[in-house]
Amino acid sequence: MTDVTPELVEKAYLALISCDRAEAAQYWSEDVRFSVPGRHLQAGWHVGLDALLSFRRALTAAAGGNFEVELVTSMISGNENMDVVRVHAVRPGAPEGSTSPYDVLDARGVQVFRWEDGLIVEGHAGFFGDGATNYDQWWSPLDGAGERRYV
């Protein structure tokens, strides 16, 4: 059993953010299951490394290449870790200085991961307070005025 350390957790995040499959496969199981919160097209279980990487690519694309995840703190117990994270993204084409939750995602939440044999096999994400609503609105196929947009 591999010891889960803060350094290992950070490497796993960086590998996923890179969207490089070979890099991600060093930390994420081929059969990983990851639950995305919300009521939008990306919500629900993403099963398998390819599905998880596809989700990550969708995040990056929706944010015009700049979807930020800040690891605030990580708590580790045995083969599980819980991380407090801050996510931030601004949709391309958002009006300068917009604070609309349809344009700007700025939320704090947690991600919980279970590890086996040095790889993440399962993960769950959740947001605090209005962050859950902000996440749904940011993913909405409609903008704040109710106009259809591409997601």
Side-chain angles (χ1 to χ4, degrees), residues 33 79-80 138:
R33 294 172 32 91
N79 69 334
E80 293 192 355
W138 191 79

Side-chain angles (χ1 to χ4, degrees), residues 38-90:
R39 292 180 176 86
H40 51 81
L41 291 175
Q42 295 292 338
W45 285 100
H46 296 265
V47 180
L49 182 56
D50 291 327
L52 182 56
L53 287 169
S54 178
F55 167 66
R56 180 59 205 184
R57 286 184 191 102
L59 284 172
T60 301
N66 193 17
F67 189 96
E68 301 171 20
V69 178
E70 175 190 350
L71 180 58
V72 177
T73 191
S74 187
M75 295 158 273
I76 299 167
S77 178
N79 69 334
E80 293 192 355
N81 67 284
M82 182 175 80
D83 307 321
V84 176
V85 295
R86 178 180 171 258
V87 295
H88 182 80
V90 178

